[in-house]
């Protein structure tokens, strides 16, 4: 029982960490010219020069959605520990699961928007960087974790 | 005596080394095509503003490595660009006596995107780092960075808080209405059985005494 609990918490925290790393590090696209991400456009031609990615409404939407997914995942973790101690026997961690699933959906939205709109602010020769991949990996992790919470019943 | 002289030397040298001129410009300026923009430049110096104070502005276009000088103020006179990209488009609006070396660029075009560097010197305080401001020329004013981000986050979190508040409100109201209904039915039914006691739906003590009397 304790092992299962640890496993679930580990999964949740892993998804959360991936979300943090993906949102904060600046490598959504990489290429010869430089890296760019949700917050900065950096070019390494003639010395590293970074400009804020302020122009563009869609990139701000992606920023917002990624931050929201982090917030919802954190709330879900806190709710999990709350419900662990206050839920009745046989109860379901429904609220925790709902928040985690919502967090996963937000990451999915962010990933989709970024994939579709990225040709607008990044040249086509650049390829997607590891932050982008981490975001897409965090999405199924969060979804699976949320579904496990919904199915899980409190015993003992 | 030699030690004392050496000590005096170090005492004189150190304060001068810690002084340097600090130049302030903006970080970024946004402007519309065809409009004017004011690039401000001021400095901080431990010395009094000397008569030989100088300001100079240089311009480096986006994507280029070369800078070109477009403005110089020295010896009490301002010298504007008369050959370069800003010929007849620069105006000096600063006040050197107040340490202000601002200029105005007129009738902007998309080619004016770039970095403007202000360098000020206040003799004998000449050691300092020039400061740069980036100019961005737009066709229409773009939305500021972070406005949409903040708006989306605020709306979603606000909805969350609203849902939580409504949920607890509904629970409270439903519980209260159920309690009121049960109170009314009990007190209405006991109207005949409780002589001298008018049935009141709200006050709890009245009901309790009625129930207590009935139980007795």
């Amino acid at each position: 029982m304790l092992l299962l609990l640890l496993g679930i918490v580990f999964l949740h925290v892993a998804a959360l960490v991936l979300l943090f790393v993906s949102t904060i590090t600046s490598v959504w696209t990489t290429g010869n010219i430089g890296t760019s991400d949700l917050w900065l456009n950096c070019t390494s031609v003639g010395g590293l020069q970074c400009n804020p990615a302020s122009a563009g409404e869609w990139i701000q939407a992606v920023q917002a959605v990624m931050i929201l997914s982090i917030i919802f995942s954190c709330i879900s973790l806190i709710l999990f520990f709350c419900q662990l101690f206050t839920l009745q026997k046989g109860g379901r961690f429904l609220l925790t699961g709902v928040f985690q699933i919502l967090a996963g959906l937000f990451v999915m939205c962010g990933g989709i928007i970024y994939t579709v709109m990225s040709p607008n602010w990044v040249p086509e020769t650049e390829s997607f960087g590891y932050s982008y991949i981490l975001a897409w990996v965090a999405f199924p992790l969060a979804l699976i974790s949320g579904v496990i919470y919904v199915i899980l019943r409190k015993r003992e | 005596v030699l030690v004392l002289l050496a000590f005096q030397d170090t005492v004189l040298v150190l304060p001068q080394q810690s002084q340097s001129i600090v130049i302030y410009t903006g970080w970024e300026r946004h402007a519309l095509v065809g409009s004017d923009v004011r690039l401000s430049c001021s400095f901080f110096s431990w010395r009094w503003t000397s008569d030989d104070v100088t300001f100079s502005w240089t311009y480096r276009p986006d994507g280029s490595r070369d800078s070109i000088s477009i403005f110089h103020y020295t010896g009490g006179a301002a010298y504007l660009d008369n050959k370069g990209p800003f010929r007849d488009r620069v105006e000096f609006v600063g006040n050197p006596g107040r340490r202000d070396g601002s200029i105005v660029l007129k009738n902007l075009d998309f080619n004016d995107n770039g970095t403007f560097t202000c360098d000020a010197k206040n003799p004998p305080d000449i050691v300092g780092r020039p400061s740069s401001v980036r100019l961005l020329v737009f066709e229409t004013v773009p939305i500021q960075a972070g406005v949409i981000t903040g708006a989306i986050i605020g709306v979603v979190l606000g909805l969350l808080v609203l849902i939580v508040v409504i949920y607890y409100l509904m629970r409270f109201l439903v519980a209260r209405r159920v309690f009121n209904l049960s109170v009314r039915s009990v007190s209405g039914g006991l109207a005949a059985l409780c002589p001298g006691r008018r049935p009141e739906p709200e006050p709890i003590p009245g009901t309790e005494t009625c129930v207590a009397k009935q139980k007795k």
Side-chain angles (χ1 to χ4, degrees):
Chain A
M1 187 61 205
L2 191 65
L3 213 61
L4 181 67
L5 204 64
L6 279 178
I8 291 173
V9 170
F10 177 72
L11 187 64
H12 190 141
V13 170
L16 192 59
V17 164
L18 283 185
L19 282 178
F20 264 112
V21 169
S22 160
T23 307
I24 293 175
T25 63
S26 306
V27 194
W28 279 62
T29 63
T30 57
N32 297 342
I33 304 181
T35 65
S36 92
D37 75 334
L38 302 181
W39 315 98
L40 281 180
N41 258 326
C42 288
T43 55
S44 44
V45 172
L48 193 68
Q49 214 191 17
C50 284
N51 303 323
S54 52
E57 295 83 24
W58 287 110
I59 191 110
Q60 294 190 29
V62 176
Q63 290 172 357
V65 153
M66 291 300 294
I67 291 180
L68 276 174
S69 77
I70 288 181
I71 292 177
F72 272 58
S73 195
C74 283
I75 292 180
S76 156
L77 194 66
I78 294 173
L79 277 179
F80 173 65
F81 284 115
C82 274
Q83 285 197 314
L84 195 62
F85 296 120
T86 64
L87 208 58
Q88 301 152 342
K89 196 165 156 185
R92 283 192 150 141
F93 294 91
L94 202 61
L95 216 53
T96 308
V98 162
F99 272 97
Q100 186 73 336
I101 290 178
L102 277 179
L105 289 179
F106 277 134
V107 177
M108 183 184 79
C109 284
I112 289 177
I113 296 177
Y114 190 84
T115 313
V116 167
M117 302 298 294
S118 70
N120 277 7
W121 54 74
V122 174
E124 302 248 347
T125 56
E126 314 242 315
S127 57
F128 290 112
Y130 66 82
S131 295
Y132 175 78
I133 295 173
L134 283 184
W136 276 113
V137 168
F139 155 61
L141 280 186
L143 220 57
I144 292 173
S145 165
V147 166
I148 288 180
Y149 281 129
V150 169
I151 295 177
L152 196 68
R153 279 190 193 278
K154 187 176 181 191
R155 282 180 226 141
E156 169 251 2
Chain B
V1 173
L2 280 172
V3 168
L4 206 64
L5 280 176
F7 185 65
Q8 268 186 345
D9 265 329
T10 47
V11 164
L12 280 173
V13 161
L14 279 175
Q16 278 181 349
Q17 277 183 344
S18 65
Q19 287 172 358
S20 68
I21 193 170
V22 182
I23 302 176
Y24 304 106
T25 61
W27 182 253
E28 220 177 56
R29 286 281 176 269
H30 296 193
L32 292 176
V33 180
S35 69
D36 304 341
V37 69
R38 180 197 168 108
L39 302 176
S40 61
C41 176
S42 70
F43 65 87
F44 173 78
S45 163
W46 289 103
R47 302 261 177 193
W48 293 110
T49 311
S50 95
D51 294 328
D52 300 326
V53 66
T54 65
F55 288 96
S56 61
W57 281 93
T58 56
Y59 165 63
R60 179 167 59 87
D62 263 349
S64 161
R65 257 191 251 194
D66 302 319
S67 308
I68 184 170
S69 181
I70 59 167
F71 173 81
H72 192 66
Y73 175 91
T74 182
Y79 300 91
L80 312 170
D81 182 7
N82 53 3
K83 292 187 177 59
F86 288 95
R87 124 193 63 211
D88 300 330
R89 290 201 287 149
V90 185
E91 189 188 327
F92 181 55
V93 295
N95 189 346
R98 298 246 173 98
R99 303 185 170 184
D100 179 15
S102 309
I103 57 170
V104 162
L105 304 175
K106 302 196 181 134
N107 200 11
L108 290 169
D109 187 38
F110 290 116
N111 297 330
D112 297 332
N113 273 307
T115 311
F116 292 81
T117 309
C118 176
D119 192 10
K121 298 201 188 308
N122 184 26
D125 202 1
I126 56 147
V127 178
R129 262 195 203 109
S131 170
S132 303
V133 55
R134 252 197 108 221
L135 179 66
L136 294 164
V137 181
F138 296 102
E139 216 170 79
T140 52
V141 179
I143 302 184
Q144 281 254 346
V147 164
I148 296 183
T149 310
I152 292 179
I153 293 179
V155 163
V156 171
L157 289 181
L159 277 177
L160 191 68
V161 168
L162 200 68
I163 289 175
V164 167
V165 164
I166 288 180
Y167 171 73
Y168 276 110
L169 205 67
M170 295 301 290
R171 241 171 63 160
F172 174 70
L173 283 178
V174 164
R176 200 167 146 213
R177 194 185 298 166
V178 164
F179 186 68
N180 272 350
L181 279 173
S182 70
V183 164
R184 278 208 195 91
S185 66
V186 165
S187 61
L190 295 173
L193 297 172
C194 298
R197 187 101 199 160
R198 201 174 301 162
E200 289 161 25
E202 263 83 56
I204 301 166
T207 315
E208 277 179 357
T209 50
C210 256
V211 169
K213 277 182 188 164
Q214 201 210 4
K215 272 184 186 168
K216 236 196 271 183

